[in-house]
Amino acid sequence: MAEKIGIMGGTFDPIHYGHLLAAEECRRQLALDRIVFVPTGTPPHKRNRAVTSPEDRYAMTLLATAGVREFFVSRTEIDRDRPSHTVDTLEEFLKQSAPQPELFFITGLDALLSIATWKDYMQLPSLCTLVTATRPGYSVAGVDALPIDIRRVLKLIEIPQFAISSTEIRSRAREGRSIRFLVPHLVESYIENCGLYRDSEVPRI
Ligand code: NAP
């Protein structure tokens, strides 16, 4: 049987318990063999907001997932010397693995609703099942407007505990408020020791 791999795509700025719970819930519900977290490199669509450096986001993702047997972290997008596009990432995963695995691309609903602006998005249904992990109370109305071929391969999974957001964590850190128990302890220490999110949204070099 083909290996079933969840590709957890996101900026992870920073990674938090909501992401980890979402990954675990998808793994369980879809019977995935493993989950690979793929922090974005240079997000093509985020030129209007400075994002923390890829190496810091990668390091935090490693710290958050260390010791979880089924969780892995990939540098695929971090190491790419051009903007990171999901279609390229999925093709790379398929090329690298023999026999061919079955891929499940997992991301947030906000991100997925803009899928019609992504590079070669109509190729995605032939490469993977699309999975969105949604927060409780989130409107899923926009899903009906997605192209039919996308809807056909789309699975919505509501994560009851996914009430945390990276935006909230960044603003708490900036205001000197506690982020304890919102992110794994090692991620909290990394953010404190490196002074991330303290003054502004300007990334470290
Ligand atoms: P993002 O800013 O990281 O997240 C957008 C929303 O989804 C936020 O609410 C976020 O919550 C949530 N989220 C992020 N990753 C999630 C995950 N794996 N599971 C559940 N919820 C998640 O999103 P992004 O960086 O724009 O894009 C997400 C993914 O889509 C990335 O893999 C990116 O490469 C891909 N994408 C591809 C293209 C393209 O191919 N051209 C364009 C856009 C996006 P938090 O803020 O709490 O994280």
PDB file of all heavy atoms in Angstrom, residues 8-12 16 19 22 38 40 44-46 77 84-87 105-111 118-119 133 135 138 162 164-167, ligand 1:
ATOM      1  N   MET A   8       2.155  19.450   5.770  1.00  0.00           N
ATOM      2  CA  MET A   8       1.567  20.537   6.565  1.00  0.00           C
ATOM      3  C   MET A   8       2.244  21.834   6.147  1.00  0.00           C
ATOM      4  O   MET A   8       3.379  22.115   6.535  1.00  0.00           O
ATOM      5  CB  MET A   8       1.833  20.193   8.038  1.00  0.00           C
ATOM      6  CG  MET A   8       1.233  21.088   9.049  1.00  0.00           C
ATOM      7  SD  MET A   8      -0.475  20.608   9.373  1.00  0.00           S
ATOM      8  CE  MET A   8      -0.848  21.723  10.719  1.00  0.00           C
ATOM      9  N   GLY A   9       1.566  22.607   5.294  1.00  0.00           N
ATOM     10  CA  GLY A   9       2.170  23.833   4.766  1.00  0.00           C
ATOM     11  C   GLY A   9       1.715  25.065   5.529  1.00  0.00           C
ATOM     12  O   GLY A   9       0.537  25.211   5.837  1.00  0.00           O
ATOM     13  N   GLY A  10       2.661  25.944   5.834  1.00  0.00           N
ATOM     14  CA  GLY A  10       2.291  27.189   6.513  1.00  0.00           C
ATOM     15  C   GLY A  10       3.509  28.051   6.749  1.00  0.00           C
ATOM     16  O   GLY A  10       4.645  27.599   6.581  1.00  0.00           O
ATOM     17  N   THR A  11       3.269  29.287   7.150  1.00  0.00           N
ATOM     18  CA  THR A  11       4.387  30.186   7.447  1.00  0.00           C
ATOM     19  C   THR A  11       4.993  29.827   8.809  1.00  0.00           C
ATOM     20  O   THR A  11       6.183  29.979   9.030  1.00  0.00           O
ATOM     21  CB  THR A  11       3.893  31.651   7.422  1.00  0.00           C
ATOM     22  OG1 THR A  11       3.268  31.884   6.161  1.00  0.00           O
ATOM     23  CG2 THR A  11       5.035  32.624   7.563  1.00  0.00           C
ATOM     24  N   PHE A  12       4.149  29.349   9.725  1.00  0.00           N
ATOM     25  CA  PHE A  12       4.576  28.969  11.080  1.00  0.00           C
ATOM     26  C   PHE A  12       5.385  30.084  11.740  1.00  0.00           C
ATOM     27  O   PHE A  12       6.539  29.913  12.120  1.00  0.00           O
ATOM     28  CB  PHE A  12       5.340  27.629  11.064  1.00  0.00           C
ATOM     29  CG  PHE A  12       4.548  26.509  10.450  1.00  0.00           C
ATOM     30  CD1 PHE A  12       5.052  25.732   9.418  1.00  0.00           C
ATOM     31  CD2 PHE A  12       3.251  26.240  10.904  1.00  0.00           C
ATOM     32  CE1 PHE A  12       4.302  24.712   8.834  1.00  0.00           C
ATOM     33  CE2 PHE A  12       2.493  25.216  10.330  1.00  0.00           C
ATOM     34  CZ  PHE A  12       3.020  24.459   9.296  1.00  0.00           C
ATOM     35  N   HIS A  16       2.566  26.848  16.736  1.00  0.00           N
ATOM     36  CA  HIS A  16       1.936  26.825  18.068  1.00  0.00           C
ATOM     37  C   HIS A  16       1.167  25.510  18.252  1.00  0.00           C
ATOM     38  O   HIS A  16       1.091  24.681  17.326  1.00  0.00           O
ATOM     39  CB  HIS A  16       1.033  28.052  18.263  1.00  0.00           C
ATOM     40  CG  HIS A  16       0.019  28.266  17.179  1.00  0.00           C
ATOM     41  ND1 HIS A  16      -1.040  27.407  16.957  1.00  0.00           N
ATOM     42  CD2 HIS A  16      -0.095  29.243  16.234  1.00  0.00           C
ATOM     43  CE1 HIS A  16      -1.776  27.859  15.956  1.00  0.00           C
ATOM     44  NE2 HIS A  16      -1.210  28.973  15.480  1.00  0.00           N
ATOM     45  N   HIS A  19      -1.372  24.319  15.593  1.00  0.00           N
ATOM     46  CA  HIS A  19      -0.843  23.604  14.418  1.00  0.00           C
ATOM     47  C   HIS A  19      -0.587  22.131  14.759  1.00  0.00           C
ATOM     48  O   HIS A  19      -0.867  21.240  13.966  1.00  0.00           O
ATOM     49  CB  HIS A  19       0.482  24.223  13.955  1.00  0.00           C
ATOM     50  CG  HIS A  19       0.390  25.647  13.499  1.00  0.00           C
ATOM     51  ND1 HIS A  19       1.145  26.654  14.028  1.00  0.00           N
ATOM     52  CD2 HIS A  19      -0.390  26.242  12.548  1.00  0.00           C
ATOM     53  CE1 HIS A  19       0.867  27.791  13.432  1.00  0.00           C
ATOM     54  NE2 HIS A  19      -0.072  27.578  12.530  1.00  0.00           N
ATOM     55  N   ALA A  22      -3.805  20.262  15.110  1.00  0.00           N
ATOM     56  CA  ALA A  22      -4.421  20.093  13.786  1.00  0.00           C
ATOM     57  C   ALA A  22      -3.720  18.962  13.030  1.00  0.00           C
ATOM     58  O   ALA A  22      -4.368  18.103  12.415  1.00  0.00           O
ATOM     59  CB  ALA A  22      -4.342  21.390  12.992  1.00  0.00           C
ATOM     60  N   VAL A  38       6.179  21.784   6.420  1.00  0.00           N
ATOM     61  CA  VAL A  38       6.975  22.466   5.399  1.00  0.00           C
ATOM     62  C   VAL A  38       6.823  23.983   5.592  1.00  0.00           C
ATOM     63  O   VAL A  38       5.906  24.599   5.029  1.00  0.00           O
ATOM     64  CB  VAL A  38       6.518  22.062   3.971  1.00  0.00           C
ATOM     65  CG1 VAL A  38       7.434  22.695   2.927  1.00  0.00           C
ATOM     66  CG2 VAL A  38       6.493  20.545   3.813  1.00  0.00           C
ATOM     67  N   THR A  40       7.160  27.784   4.925  1.00  0.00           N
ATOM     68  CA  THR A  40       7.349  28.479   3.649  1.00  0.00           C
ATOM     69  C   THR A  40       8.704  29.180   3.618  1.00  0.00           C
ATOM     70  O   THR A  40       9.217  29.610   4.655  1.00  0.00           O
ATOM     71  CB  THR A  40       6.273  29.557   3.420  1.00  0.00           C
ATOM     72  OG1 THR A  40       6.300  30.450   4.519  1.00  0.00           O
ATOM     73  CG2 THR A  40       4.894  28.958   3.290  1.00  0.00           C
ATOM     74  N   PRO A  44       5.283  34.111  -1.760  1.00  0.00           N
ATOM     75  CA  PRO A  44       5.098  34.998  -2.904  1.00  0.00           C
ATOM     76  C   PRO A  44       4.005  36.021  -2.667  1.00  0.00           C
ATOM     77  O   PRO A  44       3.996  37.087  -3.261  1.00  0.00           O
ATOM     78  CB  PRO A  44       4.697  34.051  -4.043  1.00  0.00           C
ATOM     79  CG  PRO A  44       4.305  32.768  -3.413  1.00  0.00           C
ATOM     80  CD  PRO A  44       4.935  32.714  -2.067  1.00  0.00           C
ATOM     81  N   HIS A  45       3.081  35.707  -1.737  1.00  0.00           N
ATOM     82  CA  HIS A  45       1.884  36.535  -1.558  1.00  0.00           C
ATOM     83  C   HIS A  45       1.974  37.409  -0.309  1.00  0.00           C
ATOM     84  O   HIS A  45       0.990  37.977   0.100  1.00  0.00           O
ATOM     85  CB  HIS A  45       0.691  35.580  -1.430  1.00  0.00           C
ATOM     86  CG  HIS A  45       0.920  34.549  -0.366  1.00  0.00           C
ATOM     87  ND1 HIS A  45       1.869  33.554  -0.492  1.00  0.00           N
ATOM     88  CD2 HIS A  45       0.381  34.378   0.855  1.00  0.00           C
ATOM     89  CE1 HIS A  45       1.879  32.806   0.604  1.00  0.00           C
ATOM     90  NE2 HIS A  45       0.984  33.301   1.439  1.00  0.00           N
ATOM     91  N   LYS A  46       3.173  37.483   0.325  1.00  0.00           N
ATOM     92  CA  LYS A  46       3.248  38.218   1.599  1.00  0.00           C
ATOM     93  C   LYS A  46       4.239  39.357   1.539  1.00  0.00           C
ATOM     94  O   LYS A  46       4.968  39.603   2.483  1.00  0.00           O
ATOM     95  CB  LYS A  46       3.633  37.278   2.732  1.00  0.00           C
ATOM     96  CG  LYS A  46       2.471  36.436   3.183  1.00  0.00           C
ATOM     97  CD  LYS A  46       2.663  35.880   4.536  1.00  0.00           C
ATOM     98  CE  LYS A  46       1.418  35.121   4.931  1.00  0.00           C
ATOM     99  NZ  LYS A  46       1.645  34.134   5.945  1.00  0.00           N
ATOM    100  N   GLU A  77      11.152  24.192   1.049  1.00  0.00           N
ATOM    101  CA  GLU A  77      10.788  25.556   0.625  1.00  0.00           C
ATOM    102  C   GLU A  77      11.777  26.587   1.164  1.00  0.00           C
ATOM    103  O   GLU A  77      12.054  27.591   0.513  1.00  0.00           O
ATOM    104  CB  GLU A  77       9.349  25.873   1.054  1.00  0.00           C
ATOM    105  CG  GLU A  77       8.344  24.963   0.360  1.00  0.00           C
ATOM    106  CD  GLU A  77       6.917  25.481   0.385  1.00  0.00           C
ATOM    107  OE1 GLU A  77       6.644  26.550   0.959  1.00  0.00           O
ATOM    108  OE2 GLU A  77       6.041  24.790  -0.193  1.00  0.00           O
ATOM    109  N   SER A  84       8.306  30.220  -2.982  1.00  0.00           N
ATOM    110  CA  SER A  84       7.845  28.839  -2.813  1.00  0.00           C
ATOM    111  C   SER A  84       6.408  28.674  -3.273  1.00  0.00           C
ATOM    112  O   SER A  84       5.526  29.405  -2.828  1.00  0.00           O
ATOM    113  CB  SER A  84       8.013  28.375  -1.371  1.00  0.00           C
ATOM    114  OG  SER A  84       7.678  29.364  -0.462  1.00  0.00           O
ATOM    115  N   HIS A  85       6.207  27.730  -4.178  1.00  0.00           N
ATOM    116  CA  HIS A  85       4.867  27.423  -4.684  1.00  0.00           C
ATOM    117  C   HIS A  85       4.539  25.978  -4.312  1.00  0.00           C
ATOM    118  O   HIS A  85       5.377  25.078  -4.455  1.00  0.00           O
ATOM    119  CB  HIS A  85       4.815  27.589  -6.201  1.00  0.00           C
ATOM    120  CG  HIS A  85       5.020  29.006  -6.645  1.00  0.00           C
ATOM    121  ND1 HIS A  85       4.078  29.993  -6.426  1.00  0.00           N
ATOM    122  CD2 HIS A  85       6.045  29.615  -7.264  1.00  0.00           C
ATOM    123  CE1 HIS A  85       4.521  31.139  -6.915  1.00  0.00           C
ATOM    124  NE2 HIS A  85       5.719  30.940  -7.419  1.00  0.00           N
ATOM    125  N   THR A  86       3.296  25.773  -3.874  1.00  0.00           N
ATOM    126  CA  THR A  86       2.881  24.448  -3.404  1.00  0.00           C
ATOM    127  C   THR A  86       3.019  23.385  -4.492  1.00  0.00           C
ATOM    128  O   THR A  86       3.436  22.255  -4.218  1.00  0.00           O
ATOM    129  CB  THR A  86       1.430  24.532  -2.890  1.00  0.00           C
ATOM    130  OG1 THR A  86       1.425  25.485  -1.820  1.00  0.00           O
ATOM    131  CG2 THR A  86       0.924  23.201  -2.394  1.00  0.00           C
ATOM    132  N   VAL A  87       2.684  23.728  -5.717  1.00  0.00           N
ATOM    133  CA  VAL A  87       2.751  22.741  -6.805  1.00  0.00           C
ATOM    134  C   VAL A  87       4.177  22.191  -6.939  1.00  0.00           C
ATOM    135  O   VAL A  87       4.379  20.984  -7.127  1.00  0.00           O
ATOM    136  CB  VAL A  87       2.201  23.349  -8.125  1.00  0.00           C
ATOM    137  CG1 VAL A  87       3.103  24.433  -8.675  1.00  0.00           C
ATOM    138  CG2 VAL A  87       1.941  22.285  -9.154  1.00  0.00           C
ATOM    139  N   PHE A 105      -2.254  17.586   1.258  1.00  0.00           N
ATOM    140  CA  PHE A 105      -1.713  18.911   1.579  1.00  0.00           C
ATOM    141  C   PHE A 105      -2.647  19.576   2.588  1.00  0.00           C
ATOM    142  O   PHE A 105      -3.818  19.827   2.302  1.00  0.00           O
ATOM    143  CB  PHE A 105      -1.584  19.766   0.313  1.00  0.00           C
ATOM    144  CG  PHE A 105      -1.002  21.120   0.604  1.00  0.00           C
ATOM    145  CD1 PHE A 105       0.347  21.251   0.928  1.00  0.00           C
ATOM    146  CD2 PHE A 105      -1.787  22.257   0.579  1.00  0.00           C
ATOM    147  CE1 PHE A 105       0.888  22.497   1.226  1.00  0.00           C
ATOM    148  CE2 PHE A 105      -1.255  23.506   0.871  1.00  0.00           C
ATOM    149  CZ  PHE A 105       0.092  23.619   1.193  1.00  0.00           C
ATOM    150  N   ILE A 106      -2.106  19.851   3.781  1.00  0.00           N
ATOM    151  CA  ILE A 106      -2.921  20.378   4.880  1.00  0.00           C
ATOM    152  C   ILE A 106      -2.567  21.837   5.114  1.00  0.00           C
ATOM    153  O   ILE A 106      -1.401  22.175   5.338  1.00  0.00           O
ATOM    154  CB  ILE A 106      -2.639  19.602   6.196  1.00  0.00           C
ATOM    155  CG1 ILE A 106      -2.768  18.091   5.984  1.00  0.00           C
ATOM    156  CG2 ILE A 106      -3.540  20.108   7.321  1.00  0.00           C
ATOM    157  CD1 ILE A 106      -2.167  17.250   7.110  1.00  0.00           C
ATOM    158  N   THR A 107      -3.569  22.700   5.061  1.00  0.00           N
ATOM    159  CA  THR A 107      -3.293  24.091   5.423  1.00  0.00           C
ATOM    160  C   THR A 107      -4.544  24.761   5.972  1.00  0.00           C
ATOM    161  O   THR A 107      -5.583  24.116   6.145  1.00  0.00           O
ATOM    162  CB  THR A 107      -2.674  24.871   4.243  1.00  0.00           C
ATOM    163  OG1 THR A 107      -2.084  26.064   4.769  1.00  0.00           O
ATOM    164  CG2 THR A 107      -3.679  25.227   3.181  1.00  0.00           C
ATOM    165  N   GLY A 108      -4.423  26.067   6.268  1.00  0.00           N
ATOM    166  CA  GLY A 108      -5.553  26.786   6.847  1.00  0.00           C
ATOM    167  C   GLY A 108      -6.564  27.175   5.784  1.00  0.00           C
ATOM    168  O   GLY A 108      -6.231  27.296   4.600  1.00  0.00           O
ATOM    169  N   LEU A 109      -7.803  27.398   6.238  1.00  0.00           N
ATOM    170  CA  LEU A 109      -8.875  27.725   5.288  1.00  0.00           C
ATOM    171  C   LEU A 109      -8.625  29.078   4.601  1.00  0.00           C
ATOM    172  O   LEU A 109      -8.824  29.196   3.395  1.00  0.00           O
ATOM    173  CB  LEU A 109     -10.228  27.740   6.024  1.00  0.00           C
ATOM    174  CG  LEU A 109     -11.454  28.013   5.168  1.00  0.00           C
ATOM    175  CD1 LEU A 109     -11.615  26.953   4.080  1.00  0.00           C
ATOM    176  CD2 LEU A 109     -12.713  28.067   6.032  1.00  0.00           C
ATOM    177  N   ASP A 110      -8.159  30.079   5.361  1.00  0.00           N
ATOM    178  CA  ASP A 110      -7.909  31.411   4.760  1.00  0.00           C
ATOM    179  C   ASP A 110      -6.976  31.272   3.563  1.00  0.00           C
ATOM    180  O   ASP A 110      -7.190  31.884   2.520  1.00  0.00           O
ATOM    181  CB  ASP A 110      -7.174  32.381   5.703  1.00  0.00           C
ATOM    182  CG  ASP A 110      -7.681  32.417   7.103  1.00  0.00           C
ATOM    183  OD1 ASP A 110      -8.535  31.584   7.417  1.00  0.00           O
ATOM    184  OD2 ASP A 110      -7.221  33.269   7.874  1.00  0.00           O
ATOM    185  N   ALA A 111      -5.922  30.472   3.784  1.00  0.00           N
ATOM    186  CA  ALA A 111      -4.938  30.301   2.710  1.00  0.00           C
ATOM    187  C   ALA A 111      -5.594  29.594   1.525  1.00  0.00           C
ATOM    188  O   ALA A 111      -5.454  30.010   0.377  1.00  0.00           O
ATOM    189  CB  ALA A 111      -3.751  29.500   3.225  1.00  0.00           C
ATOM    190  N   TRP A 118      -2.981  30.755  -6.887  1.00  0.00           N
ATOM    191  CA  TRP A 118      -1.711  30.038  -6.737  1.00  0.00           C
ATOM    192  C   TRP A 118      -1.210  29.567  -8.106  1.00  0.00           C
ATOM    193  O   TRP A 118      -2.014  29.277  -9.003  1.00  0.00           O
ATOM    194  CB  TRP A 118      -1.844  28.812  -5.838  1.00  0.00           C
ATOM    195  CG  TRP A 118      -2.263  29.069  -4.434  1.00  0.00           C
ATOM    196  CD1 TRP A 118      -2.717  30.248  -3.899  1.00  0.00           C
ATOM    197  CD2 TRP A 118      -2.284  28.121  -3.359  1.00  0.00           C
ATOM    198  NE1 TRP A 118      -3.016  30.096  -2.565  1.00  0.00           N
ATOM    199  CE2 TRP A 118      -2.762  28.797  -2.201  1.00  0.00           C
ATOM    200  CE3 TRP A 118      -1.952  26.774  -3.251  1.00  0.00           C
ATOM    201  CZ2 TRP A 118      -2.897  28.160  -0.970  1.00  0.00           C
ATOM    202  CZ3 TRP A 118      -2.095  26.140  -2.031  1.00  0.00           C
ATOM    203  CH2 TRP A 118      -2.556  26.831  -0.895  1.00  0.00           C
ATOM    204  N   LYS A 119       0.102  29.394  -8.182  1.00  0.00           N
ATOM    205  CA  LYS A 119       0.708  28.930  -9.431  1.00  0.00           C
ATOM    206  C   LYS A 119       0.166  27.521  -9.797  1.00  0.00           C
ATOM    207  O   LYS A 119       0.171  26.622  -8.952  1.00  0.00           O
ATOM    208  CB  LYS A 119       2.228  28.869  -9.249  1.00  0.00           C
ATOM    209  CG  LYS A 119       2.978  28.445 -10.484  1.00  0.00           C
ATOM    210  CD  LYS A 119       4.453  28.212 -10.156  1.00  0.00           C
ATOM    211  CE  LYS A 119       5.097  27.395 -11.252  1.00  0.00           C
ATOM    212  NZ  LYS A 119       6.266  26.650 -10.807  1.00  0.00           N
ATOM    213  N   ALA A 133      -7.699  22.573   7.834  1.00  0.00           N
ATOM    214  CA  ALA A 133      -7.985  22.460   9.256  1.00  0.00           C
ATOM    215  C   ALA A 133      -8.614  23.786   9.657  1.00  0.00           C
ATOM    216  O   ALA A 133      -7.990  24.831   9.525  1.00  0.00           O
ATOM    217  CB  ALA A 133      -6.681  22.222  10.000  1.00  0.00           C
ATOM    218  N   ARG A 135     -10.801  26.508  12.217  1.00  0.00           N
ATOM    219  CA  ARG A 135     -11.025  26.870  13.624  1.00  0.00           C
ATOM    220  C   ARG A 135     -12.519  26.809  13.901  1.00  0.00           C
ATOM    221  O   ARG A 135     -13.337  27.039  12.996  1.00  0.00           O
ATOM    222  CB  ARG A 135     -10.532  28.291  13.871  1.00  0.00           C
ATOM    223  CG  ARG A 135      -9.034  28.436  13.717  1.00  0.00           C
ATOM    224  CD  ARG A 135      -8.558  29.827  14.099  1.00  0.00           C
ATOM    225  NE  ARG A 135      -7.132  29.835  14.347  1.00  0.00           N
ATOM    226  CZ  ARG A 135      -6.210  30.076  13.410  1.00  0.00           C
ATOM    227  NH1 ARG A 135      -6.562  30.338  12.174  1.00  0.00           N
ATOM    228  NH2 ARG A 135      -4.935  30.059  13.722  1.00  0.00           N
ATOM    229  N   TYR A 138     -15.545  29.199  12.377  1.00  0.00           N
ATOM    230  CA  TYR A 138     -15.096  29.836  11.141  1.00  0.00           C
ATOM    231  C   TYR A 138     -16.125  29.607  10.039  1.00  0.00           C
ATOM    232  O   TYR A 138     -16.626  28.496   9.886  1.00  0.00           O
ATOM    233  CB  TYR A 138     -13.773  29.194  10.720  1.00  0.00           C
ATOM    234  CG  TYR A 138     -12.630  30.164  10.660  1.00  0.00           C
ATOM    235  CD1 TYR A 138     -12.259  30.891  11.784  1.00  0.00           C
ATOM    236  CD2 TYR A 138     -11.923  30.352   9.480  1.00  0.00           C
ATOM    237  CE1 TYR A 138     -11.208  31.774  11.738  1.00  0.00           C
ATOM    238  CE2 TYR A 138     -10.861  31.237   9.426  1.00  0.00           C
ATOM    239  CZ  TYR A 138     -10.510  31.933  10.559  1.00  0.00           C
ATOM    240  OH  TYR A 138      -9.476  32.806  10.497  1.00  0.00           O
ATOM    241  N   PHE A 162      -8.396  24.363  18.054  1.00  0.00           N
ATOM    242  CA  PHE A 162      -7.552  25.241  17.243  1.00  0.00           C
ATOM    243  C   PHE A 162      -8.019  26.694  17.357  1.00  0.00           C
ATOM    244  O   PHE A 162      -8.451  27.303  16.389  1.00  0.00           O
ATOM    245  CB  PHE A 162      -7.588  24.769  15.791  1.00  0.00           C
ATOM    246  CG  PHE A 162      -6.522  25.353  14.889  1.00  0.00           C
ATOM    247  CD1 PHE A 162      -6.440  24.947  13.570  1.00  0.00           C
ATOM    248  CD2 PHE A 162      -5.611  26.291  15.336  1.00  0.00           C
ATOM    249  CE1 PHE A 162      -5.486  25.457  12.707  1.00  0.00           C
ATOM    250  CE2 PHE A 162      -4.643  26.812  14.500  1.00  0.00           C
ATOM    251  CZ  PHE A 162      -4.585  26.394  13.186  1.00  0.00           C
ATOM    252  N   ILE A 164      -6.040  29.029  18.835  1.00  0.00           N
ATOM    253  CA  ILE A 164      -4.824  29.863  18.952  1.00  0.00           C
ATOM    254  C   ILE A 164      -4.451  30.360  17.560  1.00  0.00           C
ATOM    255  O   ILE A 164      -4.672  29.653  16.587  1.00  0.00           O
ATOM    256  CB  ILE A 164      -3.653  28.993  19.479  1.00  0.00           C
ATOM    257  CG1 ILE A 164      -4.075  28.262  20.746  1.00  0.00           C
ATOM    258  CG2 ILE A 164      -2.410  29.818  19.708  1.00  0.00           C
ATOM    259  CD1 ILE A 164      -3.085  27.149  21.141  1.00  0.00           C
ATOM    260  N   SER A 165      -3.864  31.564  17.458  1.00  0.00           N
ATOM    261  CA  SER A 165      -3.360  31.981  16.149  1.00  0.00           C
ATOM    262  C   SER A 165      -1.963  32.569  16.297  1.00  0.00           C
ATOM    263  O   SER A 165      -1.608  33.116  17.349  1.00  0.00           O
ATOM    264  CB  SER A 165      -4.294  33.012  15.504  1.00  0.00           C
ATOM    265  OG  SER A 165      -4.082  34.277  16.085  1.00  0.00           O
ATOM    266  N   SER A 166      -1.179  32.464  15.238  1.00  0.00           N
ATOM    267  CA  SER A 166       0.181  33.026  15.258  1.00  0.00           C
ATOM    268  C   SER A 166       0.110  34.537  15.447  1.00  0.00           C
ATOM    269  O   SER A 166       0.969  35.123  16.118  1.00  0.00           O
ATOM    270  CB  SER A 166       0.901  32.700  13.946  1.00  0.00           C
ATOM    271  OG  SER A 166       1.024  31.319  13.792  1.00  0.00           O
ATOM    272  N   THR A 167      -0.904  35.162  14.864  1.00  0.00           N
ATOM    273  CA  THR A 167      -1.053  36.626  14.990  1.00  0.00           C
ATOM    274  C   THR A 167      -1.168  37.000  16.465  1.00  0.00           C
ATOM    275  O   THR A 167      -0.530  37.947  16.938  1.00  0.00           O
ATOM    276  CB  THR A 167      -2.328  37.094  14.239  1.00  0.00           C
ATOM    277  OG1 THR A 167      -2.274  36.570  12.922  1.00  0.00           O
ATOM    278  CG2 THR A 167      -2.450  38.603  14.195  1.00  0.00           C
TER     279      THR A 167
HETATM  280  P1  NAP B   1      -0.439  31.268   6.703  1.00  0.00           P
HETATM  281  O1  NAP B   1      -0.309  32.741   6.710  1.00  0.00           O
HETATM  282  O2  NAP B   1       0.623  30.474   7.362  1.00  0.00           O
HETATM  283  O3  NAP B   1      -1.847  30.854   7.293  1.00  0.00           O
HETATM  284  C1  NAP B   1      -3.093  31.296   6.813  1.00  0.00           C
HETATM  285  C2  NAP B   1      -4.147  30.842   7.830  1.00  0.00           C
HETATM  286  O4  NAP B   1      -4.148  29.427   7.939  1.00  0.00           O
HETATM  287  C3  NAP B   1      -3.886  31.346   9.232  1.00  0.00           C
HETATM  288  O5  NAP B   1      -5.126  31.474   9.881  1.00  0.00           O
HETATM  289  C4  NAP B   1      -3.051  30.208   9.833  1.00  0.00           C
HETATM  290  O6  NAP B   1      -3.097  30.200  11.230  1.00  0.00           O
HETATM  291  C5  NAP B   1      -3.702  29.001   9.241  1.00  0.00           C
HETATM  292  N1  NAP B   1      -2.726  27.922   8.989  1.00  0.00           N
HETATM  293  C6  NAP B   1      -1.509  28.040   8.434  1.00  0.00           C
HETATM  294  N2  NAP B   1      -0.950  26.833   8.236  1.00  0.00           N
HETATM  295  C7  NAP B   1      -1.844  25.952   8.696  1.00  0.00           C
HETATM  296  C8  NAP B   1      -1.854  24.544   8.754  1.00  0.00           C
HETATM  297  N3  NAP B   1      -0.869  23.822   8.214  1.00  0.00           N
HETATM  298  N4  NAP B   1      -2.939  23.931   9.285  1.00  0.00           N
HETATM  299  C9  NAP B   1      -3.947  24.676   9.756  1.00  0.00           C
HETATM  300  N5  NAP B   1      -4.029  26.013   9.714  1.00  0.00           N
HETATM  301  C10 NAP B   1      -2.976  26.637   9.189  1.00  0.00           C
HETATM  302  O7  NAP B   1      -0.642  30.753   5.250  1.00  0.00           O
HETATM  303  P2  NAP B   1       0.294  30.923   4.044  1.00  0.00           P
HETATM  304  O8  NAP B   1       1.726  30.900   4.459  1.00  0.00           O
HETATM  305  O9  NAP B   1      -0.210  32.059   3.265  1.00  0.00           O
HETATM  306  O10 NAP B   1      -0.004  29.638   3.191  1.00  0.00           O
HETATM  307  C11 NAP B   1      -0.271  28.382   3.723  1.00  0.00           C
HETATM  308  C12 NAP B   1       0.224  27.335   2.747  1.00  0.00           C
HETATM  309  O11 NAP B   1      -0.325  27.580   1.455  1.00  0.00           O
HETATM  310  C13 NAP B   1       1.738  27.344   2.588  1.00  0.00           C
HETATM  311  O12 NAP B   1       2.191  26.036   2.441  1.00  0.00           O
HETATM  312  C14 NAP B   1       1.943  28.129   1.328  1.00  0.00           C
HETATM  313  O13 NAP B   1       3.139  27.793   0.626  1.00  0.00           O
HETATM  314  C15 NAP B   1       0.712  27.725   0.526  1.00  0.00           C
HETATM  315  N6  NAP B   1       0.461  28.775  -0.482  1.00  0.00           N
HETATM  316  C16 NAP B   1       0.902  28.532  -1.737  1.00  0.00           C
HETATM  317  C17 NAP B   1       0.769  29.519  -2.699  1.00  0.00           C
HETATM  318  C18 NAP B   1       1.274  29.226  -4.088  1.00  0.00           C
HETATM  319  O14 NAP B   1       1.574  28.077  -4.379  1.00  0.00           O
HETATM  320  N7  NAP B   1       1.372  30.225  -4.927  1.00  0.00           N
HETATM  321  C19 NAP B   1       0.161  30.730  -2.368  1.00  0.00           C
HETATM  322  C20 NAP B   1      -0.298  30.917  -1.075  1.00  0.00           C
HETATM  323  C21 NAP B   1      -0.129  29.935  -0.104  1.00  0.00           C
HETATM  324  P3  NAP B   1      -1.823  30.776  12.004  1.00  0.00           P
HETATM  325  O15 NAP B   1      -1.703  32.224  11.606  1.00  0.00           O
HETATM  326  O16 NAP B   1      -2.152  30.587  13.424  1.00  0.00           O
HETATM  327  O17 NAP B   1      -0.659  29.994  11.505  1.00  0.00           O
END
